[in-house]
């Protein structure tokens, strides 16, 4: 009843005031209009106040953040209320002073440098009896080499392709099918396995090898660091095509790694010195992934090769942000390594070399990480916007991994290229000394109807394949798909959306990749590449 009376009184006041409005001086008109607007906002605000407070409380529960900053619109309204140039000037000076103080209060925290090699135990620099890399032949024509990596669960011939089984399963095929076509090393993703089924379930099964029933095939797990990138920016292609814009708008500026722009204003990922706070894509719950916790998870999984936590910056990034990212990655990787050395468990750990396309930072990363007792070198970070930039980077960087420095012969450890396995990049990376490469590219192609062959890519949806009877996908391929089915039948399966198409196509593409790597090894042995 009281609220109705307030509204009635206000309506009478507004009506009366409006009649006199036109005879007022212009400056008084402006002040009166704002007064009426503010009165209306007050009434509306009273109704929404409780809801707004609760919403603000809910938003602050996920992360501890600073007090909200006024929006640009609110600042403009404050400026308009000023009735003189002098007042406006004073307000502007006050805001400028506040902004300056805020900037000074938010200066970057200086962290100590990462620990040097002397802080690691002397025994950690001795060769691992359960993990050995032998170089069988060095090409006389390039930096390409043929080798073998010996692990507790099998041997890996190098150079070799590494298939990606994100959730401990290859998309569309059984692990046995992959084994049949020569797939040796398989890559599993720690972040996804943490969410489902969880470390307890996998550890309860006896580790990933038993859980997947792949007892005689080596496995590698990553740290989950790539998800810091993908949750914020989407795929590498999306980041490149948007010029580094955040996938979820409303966050920090382009080039920042401290993302705050998730659904409903809630961050999909937040990076701190302690680690990365993820928001689950399954149920929205958040959890903290630290260098120590990701190693502990990978200990539970029991893969033959594990990766330390790193921060993957985007291609488009301010150099100062990139410098801070590389330094943080070095601190994280050192923490990961120390956690790993507490209980090695017959697992090898590769470092991840960072620095983007910045050669000074790449060299710094190579020099620091190769001085520590890692068992192999992974090359990560932003590797360029195309194959040309990637190969230019490798051409310059890989000779550093052939050097002997401070008693460490870098040449004697395997090198892995993270997330790259398209054919042009493979051929170029192999001649520059890369030993293994991982990517979901070949299996993703198969799901979308692209089949690999020695004649080039076959886009099977094309009608020109509908009557190619008796012609396998690749006449030189010995996989079960090519031995039993022709292009016409594969065209039909794809057009009919038959699920078996994915299985048959993936078996073939995996076979093609492993045949390609076997061919590269033979060419190296013959010093042809």
């Amino acid at each position: 009843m009281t609220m109705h009376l307030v509204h009635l009184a206000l309506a009478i006041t507004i009506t009366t005031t409006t009649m006199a409005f036109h005879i007022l001086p212009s400056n008084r008109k402006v002040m009166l209009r704002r007064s009426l607007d503010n009165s209306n906002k007050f009434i509306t605000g009273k109704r929404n106040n409780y809801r707004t407070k609760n919403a603000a409380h809910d938003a602050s529960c996920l992360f501890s953040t600073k007090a909200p900053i006024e929006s640009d619109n609110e600042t403009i309204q404050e400026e308009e209320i000023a009735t003189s140039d002098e007042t406006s000037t004073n307000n502007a000076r006050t805001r400028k002073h506040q902004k300056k103080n805020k900037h000074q209060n938010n200066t970057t925290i200086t962290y100590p440098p990462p620990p040097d090699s002397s802080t690691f135990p002397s025994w950690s620099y001795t060769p691992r009896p359960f993990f050995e890399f032998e170089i069988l032949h060095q090409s006389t024509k390039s930096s390409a080499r043929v080798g073998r990596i010996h692990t507790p669960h099998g041997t890996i011939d190098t150079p070799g392709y590494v298939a990606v089984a994100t959730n401990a399963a290859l998309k569309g095929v059984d692990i046995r099918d992959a084994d049949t076509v020569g797939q040796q090393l398989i890559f599993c993703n720690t972040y996804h396995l943490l969410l489902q089924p969880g470390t307890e379930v996998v550890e309860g099964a006896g580790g990933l090898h038993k859980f997947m029933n792949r007892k005689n095939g080596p496995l590698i797990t990553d740290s989950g660091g790539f998800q810091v990138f993908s949750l914020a920016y989407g795929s590498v292609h999306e980041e490149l095509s948007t010029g580094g814009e955040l996938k979820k708008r409303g966050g920090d500026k382009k080039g920042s790694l401290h993302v705050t722009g998730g659904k409903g204003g809630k961050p999909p990922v937040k990076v701190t010195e302690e680690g990365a706070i993820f928001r689950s894509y399954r149920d929205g719950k958040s959890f903290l992934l630290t260098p120590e916790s990701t190693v502990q998870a990978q200990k539970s999984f029991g893969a033959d090769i594990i990766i330390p936590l790193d921060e993957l910056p985007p291609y488009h990034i301010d150099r100062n942000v990139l410098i801070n990212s590389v330094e943080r990655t070095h601190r994280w990787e050192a923490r990961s390594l120390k956690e790993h050395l507490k209980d090695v468990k017959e697992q090898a750990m590769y470092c991840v070399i960072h620095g983007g396309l910045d050669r000074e930072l790449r060299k710094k990363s190579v020099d620091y990480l190769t001085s520590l007792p890692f068992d192999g070198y992974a090359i990560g970070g932003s590797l360029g916007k195309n194959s040309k930039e990637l190969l230019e980077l490798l051409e310059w960087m890989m000779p550093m991994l052939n050097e002997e420095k401070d008693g460490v012969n870098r040449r004697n450890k395997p090198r892995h290229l993270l997330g790259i396995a398209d054919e042009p990049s493979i051929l170029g990376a192999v001649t520059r000394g890369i030993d293994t490469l991982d990517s979901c590219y070949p299996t993703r192609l198969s799901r979308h109807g692209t089949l690999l062959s020695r004649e080039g890519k076959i886009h099977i949806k094309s009608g020109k394949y509908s009557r190619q009877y008796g012609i396998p996908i690749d006449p030189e391929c010995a996989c079960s798909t090519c031995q039993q089915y022709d292009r016409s039948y594969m065209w039909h399966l794809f057009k009919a959306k038959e699920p078996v198409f994915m299985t048959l196509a993936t078996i073939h593409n995996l076979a093609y990749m492993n045949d390609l790597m076997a061919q590269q090894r033979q060419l190296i042995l013959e010093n042809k590449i």
Side-chain angles (χ1 to χ4, degrees):
M1 181 64 180
T2 302
M3 184 60 72
H4 287 298
L5 292 175
V6 171
H7 274 291
L8 179 59
L10 181 60
I12 295 171
T13 302
I14 292 173
T15 303
T16 306
T17 306
T18 302
M19 296 172 63
F21 182 79
H22 294 288
I23 64 174
L24 290 175
S26 59
N27 64 327
R28 296 291 293 169
K29 290 180 184 179
V30 173
M31 294 182 65
L32 179 57
R33 182 183 293 114
R34 292 186 187 115
S35 178
L36 294 175
D37 288 345
N38 288 337
S39 298
N40 207 19
K41 288 177 183 176
F42 174 80
I43 298 297
T44 305
K46 281 290 185 180
R47 290 174 174 173
N48 296 328
N49 189 44
Y50 179 77
R51 182 185 305 167
T52 303
K53 285 183 178 180
N54 276 342
H57 173 73
D58 292 342
S60 66
C61 287
L62 180 59
F63 302 115
S64 175
T65 58
K66 296 182 179 179
I69 300 173
E70 292 177 343
S71 69
D72 292 340
N73 290 335
E74 289 171 334
T75 305
I76 292 171
Q77 288 172 353
E78 289 177 359
E79 290 176 351
E80 289 177 346
I81 292 175
T83 58
S84 68
D85 291 339
E86 182 180 359
T87 305
S88 298
T89 302
N90 289 337
N91 285 349
R93 287 174 180 169
T94 301
R95 286 191 298 275
K96 183 176 181 181
H97 180 68
Q98 291 173 341
K99 183 176 181 181
K100 182 178 180 181
N101 287 342
K102 177 179 177 242
H103 177 71
Q104 291 174 344
N105 292 334
N106 286 339
T107 54
T108 303
I109 299 173
T110 302
Y111 295 99
D116 62 39
S117 57
S118 65
T119 64
F120 292 84
S122 58
W123 62 263
S124 64
Y125 289 90
T126 59
R128 309 281 190 261
F130 55 84
F131 184 84
E132 179 188 0
F133 176 59
E134 59 173 333
I135 300 174
L136 302 178
H137 180 77
Q138 176 68 59
S139 173
T140 59
K141 196 171 184 178
S142 70
S143 296
R145 57 193 192 168
V146 173
R148 286 198 187 105
I149 303 173
H150 300 276
T151 77
H153 291 92
T155 300
I156 306 159
D157 293 310
T158 67
Y161 164 69
V162 183
V164 176
T166 300
N167 289 300
L170 292 166
K171 294 287 190 298
V173 296
D174 182 73
I175 293 293
R176 256 56 52 191
D177 295 323
D179 293 340
T180 300
V181 298
Q183 188 60 55
Q184 294 175 321
L185 185 57
I186 290 180
F187 203 117
C188 300
N189 184 274
T190 292
Y191 169 74
H192 292 282
L193 293 174
L194 278 172
L195 299 183
Q196 171 63 39
T199 54
E200 298 83 0
V201 172
V202 176
E203 190 172 26
L208 274 176
H209 290 90
K210 291 184 178 179
F211 189 56
M212 298 168 60
N213 194 24
R214 193 173 197 251
K215 301 173 185 177
N216 297 313
L219 298 174
I220 177 174
T221 49
D222 69 350
S223 65
F226 178 74
Q227 274 61 43
V228 175
F229 173 91
S230 62
L231 287 174
Y233 296 93
S235 67
V236 175
H237 172 74
E238 288 171 332
E239 190 275 327
L240 291 174
S241 62
T242 60
E245 294 293 340
L246 297 176
K247 182 171 68 172
K248 312 273 191 182
R249 295 304 296 268
D252 292 349
K253 294 180 180 180
K254 178 172 75 174
S256 171
L257 294 179
H258 299 266
V259 182
T260 58
K263 185 177 181 181
K266 296 179 181 179
V269 62
K270 184 180 180 68
V271 179
T272 68
E273 182 63 19
E274 181 63 16
I277 304 173
F278 288 95
R279 180 172 293 280
S280 170
Y281 62 87
R282 291 183 175 272
D283 55 15
K285 293 180 180 178
S286 63
F287 63 91
L288 175 65
L289 189 65
T290 68
E292 293 77 17
S293 67
T294 186
V295 171
Q296 292 161 7
Q298 292 181 84
K299 293 295 175 186
S300 298
F301 298 150
D304 300 275
I305 303 170
I306 63 177
I307 303 291
L309 185 62
D310 62 327
E311 182 179 54
L312 174 60
Y315 176 84
H316 298 90
I317 187 171
D318 179 82
R319 189 173 191 271
N320 289 329
V321 178
L322 180 59
I323 291 172
N324 291 334
S325 174
V326 171
E327 291 175 348
R328 178 182 294 111
T329 283
H330 289 172
R331 295 190 294 271
W332 280 3
E333 293 196 41
R335 285 167 56 189
S336 297
L337 181 58
K338 289 192 173 185
E339 185 68 22
H340 165 60
L341 294 175
K342 291 178 182 178
D343 187 7
V344 175
K345 283 189 174 180
E346 292 197 340
Q347 291 176 298
M349 177 177 276
Y350 288 11
C351 66
V352 183
I353 296 168
H354 274 263
L357 297 184
D358 190 300
R359 296 191 173 188
E360 180 184 348
L361 294 179
R362 280 284 175 184
K363 185 179 186 307
K364 178 179 180 180
S365 193
V366 168
D367 288 341
Y368 175 66
L369 294 173
T370 58
S371 73
L372 304 185
F374 286 104
D375 302 296
Y377 310 135
I379 299 170
S382 176
L383 298 169
K385 63 185 177 183
N386 51 41
S387 183
K388 180 177 180 292
E389 286 192 349
L390 164 67
L391 297 180
E392 287 176 352
L393 175 66
L394 294 179
E395 183 74 25
W396 169 82
M397 186 180 70
M398 292 305 291
M400 289 190 288
L401 295 181
N402 287 328
E403 297 175 358
E404 184 170 351
K405 187 174 182 180
D406 299 328
V408 177
N409 191 340
R410 299 169 177 173
R411 178 177 178 272
N412 293 335
K413 294 185 179 182
R415 304 114 173 220
H416 181 87
L417 186 59
L418 285 163
I420 302 292
D422 62 285
E423 192 166 340
S425 297
I426 285 177
L427 300 179
V430 165
T431 60
R432 289 161 175 79
I434 291 294
D435 298 309
T436 51
L437 317 88
D438 76 272
S439 177
C440 59
Y441 174 76
T443 51
R444 182 185 293 123
L445 283 181
S446 63
R447 297 196 297 275
H448 295 281
T450 299
L451 306 173
L452 302 172
S453 81
R454 290 160 180 81
E455 299 174 4
K457 292 178 182 176
I458 295 177
H459 302 288
I460 201 65
K461 68 179 180 180
S462 173
K464 69 181 181 180
Y465 299 111
S466 64
R467 296 181 184 276
Q468 292 196 4
Y469 308 119
I471 303 175
I473 299 167
D474 187 335
E476 297 182 47
C477 181
C479 77
S480 58
T481 300
C482 287
Q483 293 302 305
Q484 298 179 56
Y485 305 106
D486 60 18
R487 295 178 180 181
S488 176
Y489 185 65
M490 294 296 290
W491 167 84
H492 158 66
L493 293 178
F494 181 78
K495 297 295 284 186
K497 295 183 172 58
E498 287 292 339
V500 72
F501 172 84
M502 183 192 299
T503 300
L504 298 176
T506 303
I507 288 173
H508 167 75
N509 277 2
L510 288 176
Y512 176 84
M513 293 300 298
N514 283 286
D515 286 349
L516 176 66
M517 302 313 293
Q519 180 188 48
Q520 294 299 296
R521 293 193 292 270
Q522 186 58 41
L523 292 173
I524 296 169
L525 290 171
E526 297 173 1
N527 294 314
K528 291 183 178 180
I529 61 172

